[in-house]
Amino acid sequence: MHAAPTLGLILPPDQAPERFLEVARAADAADVPELWLWEDCFGQSGTSTAAAVLAATPRIRVGLGLMPVPLRNVALTAMEIATIARMFPDRFLPGIGHGVLEWMTQAGVRAASPLTLLDEQARALRALLSGDEVSADGRYVRLDRVQLRWPAPAVPPLLIGGGRPKTLALAGELGDGIILAGDMTPGEGAEETRAAVAIVRAAREAAGLPPESAVVQFAGVRADASADEVRRLRSVYGAAGATSVPLLPLDGEGRPESGDGILRLAETIGAAT
């Protein structure tokens, strides 16, 4: 029997940056295991927010799902991840992915082949985080004997976000886990989770890797949901293969909660853990 998934709280960029620390401290005090951030365009920077939250809390793990690779040079991403991982060992869960392609177009960085870009960045990033000297002459990633000066002694898991089959397979082959956004409608999406997990496991087995890996499934829930409702969501997604279920608090109209409801949900998640 598999262990129940870890519960978490999603703190979306609908919150003003100055409110993040208040919510993070409340979540930590409520014993929420994980707090997840999004690097949405054109909101808060993901790594700076993650570092601030980690510095402001003594215990909670912070996930970043995800850093859009078109926006980022892979050497800079490696430097940021390694720096945070050294400062806060075993508390940072970084993720990378395509990002929202419309936003990448707005920023002038949309790649002609998003899958090739993600593949090249993931391979280079894994090597850099492991302390290797990396040279690459790819379609998108070009590095000349780049090596981190301060690699993290304990390399954090590299999570890759995706939804379509080719990205899921790439995540299975190159990542330590997958981030699934899925349908944010409360209680929906478990079948999609199960199908995604099957693709990831098949890719890992084809690459000669153990089939099991981290599966982070984002899910929406009413901000005033009860502890029993939260536990039910954890059970539903856990049965589909999720190992972590961060919850996005929604208001009565199904939009991300931007008021005190997020603090109420933090208390509920802590009680349900």
Side-chain angles (χ1 to χ4, degrees), residues 153-247:
V155 179
L158 179 61
L159 306 175
I160 299 177
R164 294 185 178 181
K166 289 183 179 180
T167 304
L168 291 169
L170 185 149
E173 177 187 355
L174 300 180
D176 298 305
I178 183 75
I179 299 173
L180 303 171
D183 188 342
M184 287 298 182
T185 304
E188 304 296 330
E191 288 305 315
E192 287 81 356
T193 304
R194 188 173 286 107
V197 169
I199 294 171
V200 170
R201 287 178 176 170
R204 292 182 64 81
E205 289 178 335
L209 300 170
E212 301 295 330
S213 64
V215 178
V216 180
Q217 175 64 67
F218 294 158
V221 68
R222 295 190 333 272
D224 62 354
S226 68
D228 285 343
E229 290 175 284
V230 168
R231 292 190 186 101
R232 185 187 69 80
L233 271 179
R234 177 176 62 185
S235 177
V236 167
Y237 284 114
T243 60
S244 176
V245 183
L247 299 177

Side-chain angles (χ1 to χ4, degrees), residues 7 14 24 33 44 56 64 74 83 119 127 153 166 187 201 204 211 238 262:
L7 285 171
D14 303 81
Q44 298 86 352
L64 179 49
V74 69
T83 297
D119 183 299
K166 289 183 179 180
R201 287 178 176 170
R204 292 182 64 81
I262 195 168

